[in-house]
Amino acid sequence: MLELGPGVAHLWYVFSDAVRDEALLAAYHRLLSPDEAERQARFLFAENRHEYLLTRALVRAVLSRYARVAPEAWSFVRNEYGRPQIAGPPGVPPLRFNLSNTRGLIACLVAMDREVGVDVEDTGRASSTVDIADRFFSPAEVRALHAQPEARRRTRFFEYWTLKESYIKARGMGLAIPLDHFSFHLDDGPSIGISFDPRLADDRAAWQFALYRPSAQHMMAAAIRRGIDPPLSIELKETVPLRDEG
């Protein structure tokens, strides 16, 4: 069992390509609920089935580090925008979590009774990064991106993208929040700043953000609504579900 105080968040992650042990994968299958197993089977490609399996195993195993609940006993419900949250069993601590996955990396951010969001991206994937930014980012972010040296623009794009995804996931509304209604400020000081279009009616002082490079290929961002509390300590925890328990 792990303690998770009000001033701490844990950011768990697993490199999915490294998890190929057949006994472990069989154990992961036994954790799935019937609807999860059905959804996993619907994926056309083996890598997508593998990624989904590890994502569900990660959240179930991680949550069981904080409550005396078997990993297979957790149940979940989605809000109107699709964000999953704990539905049972009754009597568990007020844990909040968020999940993200990309090619080769899966992450789960956990905190106690506060909104959290996480996003991971494969920075090596083919994409027209500047074109995407020009279409969807805020004017301030577009200007800042174009001001970067050309060699830095791709990295800066993924910094913006993962941060923006982590924020809208923490809000629990996904792309119902337009990406150009808020701006991240990465060059104004030691901490990551954010500003909002008045239509979002949010308080920039209530949020904290963090960026990580868990590998040369991956970018990872975390968003936490801390409210009036001091900044939380975010502890990174690389893991392999079930194998690292005990």
Side-chain angles (χ1 to χ4, degrees):
M1 300 295 296
L2 291 178
E3 293 288 334
L4 187 62
V8 180
H10 290 166
L11 180 45
W12 299 81
Y13 62 98
V14 56
F15 292 106
S16 54
D17 289 343
V19 185
R20 300 291 178 178
D21 180 86
E22 292 297 331
L24 265 179
L25 296 177
Y28 297 163
H29 276 284
R30 292 193 291 271
L31 301 182
L32 299 182
S33 67
D35 63 305
E36 288 173 335
E38 181 181 349
R39 184 174 181 184
Q40 195 238 1
R42 289 202 301 265
F43 284 101
L44 180 62
F45 298 107
E47 280 307 308
N48 298 124
R49 294 193 296 272
H50 180 74
E51 190 175 283
Y52 180 84
L53 178 64
L54 264 67
T55 302
R56 303 315 304 167
L58 177 64
V59 67
R60 289 177 171 277
V62 161
L63 291 176
S64 290
R65 303 297 293 266
Y66 307 105
R68 298 193 182 281
V69 175
E72 63 271 21
W74 295 99
S75 61
F76 305 95
V77 66
R78 294 180 179 272
N79 73 2
E80 61 182 304
Y81 299 100
R83 181 178 69 176
Q85 56 196 41
I86 296 169
V92 298
L95 295 162
R96 302 290 294 271
F97 73 91
N98 196 238
L99 292 164
S100 183
N101 58 270
T102 190
R103 178 70 178 87
L105 182 67
I106 301 163
C108 179
L109 179 60
V110 185
M112 195 66 72
D113 202 21
R114 64 180 71 237
E115 293 176 336
V116 295
V118 65
D119 187 57
V120 293
E121 296 292 338
D122 175 4
T123 61
R125 63 180 172 84
S127 61
S128 302
T129 55
V130 174
D131 291 342
I132 292 172
D134 288 344
R135 290 179 60 197
F136 297 110
F137 287 6
S138 73
E141 290 168 334
V142 171
R143 289 192 298 271
L145 181 63
H146 282 278
Q148 293 289 309
E150 187 172 353
R152 275 278 305 160
R153 285 179 193 162
R154 186 174 181 83
T155 296
R156 177 53 56 93
F157 168 85
F158 280 106
E159 290 170 346
Y160 281 142
W161 185 264
T162 53
L163 286 166
K164 291 173 90 67
E165 285 281 326
S166 71
Y167 170 73
I168 64 175
K169 292 177 70 179
R171 286 285 304 268
M173 297 174 64
L175 289 172
I177 298 178
L179 295 179
D180 62 354
H181 278 32
F182 59 100
S183 302
F184 280 96
H185 307 281
L186 304 183
D187 300 313
D188 296 343
S191 61
I192 298 170
I194 191 171
S195 58
F196 298 107
D197 184 295
R199 288 171 288 181
L200 282 186
D202 206 346
D203 177 10
R204 62 183 181 181
W207 290 92
Q208 73 177 83
F209 302 93
L211 278 169
Y212 305 97
R213 293 300 300 260
S215 78
Q217 179 184 350
H218 296 105
M219 187 82 70
M220 181 163 64
I224 301 173
R225 187 192 287 275
R226 61 182 179 85
I228 62 172
D229 296 332
L232 278 72
S233 170
I234 304 174
E235 299 179 4
L236 298 182
K237 295 181 176 293
E238 183 181 352
T239 189
V240 173
L242 301 187
R243 191 195 70 181
D244 296 336
E245 265 71 305

